[in-house]
Amino acid sequence: MTDEGQSRDARFEELYGALFQRVLAYARRRVGPELAKDIAAETFTVVWAKLDAVPEEAAPWIFATARNITLAKRRGETRWAPTVLRDVDEVIEDHAETVAQVLDALALMTEPDRELLMLICWDGLTPNEAAKVLGCSRTALGVRVFRARRRLERGLFHTEKEH
């Protein structure tokens, strides 16, 4: 194997090792555990095929790829099903009510607001990385985050009244 082939393999292994579990968790929260495995595998198939096009700051590019694959797989669905509800049993009992309220509030939000907050809060992307994934400027992302958090707070207030 040539030095170029070895460095290509090493770069892919580095990206896979650093990001596969995060991409899998990202997909799992959006589509459930079975389809998430397919999405993560397909994402890294694309990474391998387009490795030369993957920028040095790879996380946003890879998450954008996973997002596009997820959206393609979910096309045709008529509503968002909060698949994270399947994982509530993994939450410590003391936090179950709070988690349920957050999930209820998220379910009331629009898909773009939900996606934005989940990229930052659950998937651990920085605001700059999330802006790249969503294809907007850092400034626009800041405004969107501010508004989405306000809507989430209103949703939490609404769900607290119901509980």
Side-chain angles (χ1 to χ4, degrees):
M1 185 179 294
T2 66
D3 286 343
E4 184 179 312
Q6 288 175 338
S7 66
R8 180 178 166 80
D9 290 350
R11 176 141 196 257
F12 179 79
E13 288 175 18
E14 178 185 332
L15 292 172
Y16 184 90
L19 295 168
F20 182 83
Q21 289 301 318
R22 288 177 61 193
V23 169
L24 181 62
Y26 166 89
R28 185 175 180 205
R29 283 189 292 274
R30 286 154 180 83
V31 297
E34 290 308 311
L35 191 52
K37 293 174 187 173
D38 294 342
I39 288 171
E42 194 171 330
T43 298
F44 279 90
T45 299
V46 172
V47 170
W48 174 256
K50 297 184 176 186
L51 192 58
D52 294 336
V54 177
E56 191 62 35
E57 187 183 356
W61 190 94
I62 292 172
F63 272 91
T65 301
R67 180 176 185 258
N68 291 337
I69 292 168
T70 301
L71 291 173
K73 298 235 184 255
R74 287 179 32 190
R75 237 175 237 124
E77 285 185 16
T78 56
R79 65 179 179 81
W80 179 75
T83 57
V84 282
L85 288 172
R86 297 179 195 148
D87 298 329
V88 169
D89 60 343
E90 297 173 12
V91 177
I92 300 171
E93 194 69 33
D94 295 344
H95 301 289
E97 186 174 333
T98 302
V99 169
Q101 288 174 345
V102 170
L103 292 173
D104 288 346
L106 281 171
L108 295 173
M109 297 178 80
T110 65
E111 177 66 26
D113 280 352
R114 215 176 10 257
E115 178 74 7
L116 172 65
L117 293 176
M118 291 173 73
L119 281 170
I120 293 170
C121 298
W122 282 345
D123 296 317
L125 283 123
T126 67
N128 287 336
E129 291 171 333
K132 288 179 183 177
V133 170
L134 298 173
C136 65
S137 72
R138 172 63 180 90
T139 304
L141 181 98
V143 171
R144 289 178 60 190
V145 167
F146 175 77
R147 291 178 179 163
R149 284 183 176 156
R150 281 193 5 214
R151 286 189 281 270
L152 179 62
E153 287 172 7
R154 284 195 298 269
L156 283 170
F157 179 72
H158 176 74
T159 60
E160 284 176 2
K161 284 182 170 180
E162 294 174 357
H163 287 103

